[in-house]
């Protein structure tokens, strides 16, 4: 299995290009801490090796850490991105 249970990579509808960040919820804080040094500072993609990943704890507009899968689901449950007309490739998984 995977060490994470939620991923959201926002993509611009008009261009199909990402906004430059992703939200990943690991199954535990320990798993996130273990992944942190492997991800932080690594190349963002093979196409743009000069762009580097910067890892941070997720927050909602300055609030507390999102913290768990239920928080992530609640954050996006009623979001326009979840509308049935939006293709699944644009949605959190």
């Amino acid at each position: 299995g995977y060490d994470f249970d939620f991923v959201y990579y926002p993509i611009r509808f008009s261009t199909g290009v990402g906004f430059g960040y992703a939200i990943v919820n690991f199954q535990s804080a320990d798993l996130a801490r273990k992944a942190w040094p492997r991800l932080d500072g690594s190349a963002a993609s093979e196409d743009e090796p000069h762009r580097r990943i910067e890892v941070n704890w997720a927050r909602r507009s300055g609030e507390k850490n999102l913290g768990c899968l239920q928080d992530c689901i609640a954050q996006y449950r009623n979001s326009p991105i979840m509308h049935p007309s939006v293709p699944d490739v644009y949605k959190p998984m």
Side-chain angles (χ1 to χ4, degrees), residues 34-83:
K34 286 178 185 174
W36 196 301
R38 288 183 282 153
L39 295 171
D40 198 41
S42 65
S45 74
E46 290 181 12
D47 296 337
E48 298 179 285
H50 62 282
R51 292 184 63 209
R52 299 293 173 180
I53 295 172
E54 179 182 339
V55 178
N56 292 292
W57 293 110
R59 297 181 187 278
R60 276 188 297 218
S61 303
E63 294 179 20
K64 66 178 181 113
N65 291 344
L66 287 177
C68 67
L69 177 60
Q70 290 76 21
D71 290 339
C72 292
I73 291 170
Q75 175 75 17
Y76 292 98
R77 176 177 285 125
N78 296 318
S79 169
I81 199 70
M82 299 307 293
H83 191 274

Side-chain angles (χ1 to χ4, degrees), residues 1 4-5 18 31 43 73-74 84 93:
F4 55 88
D5 51 18
L31 289 171
I73 291 170
M93 54 182 187

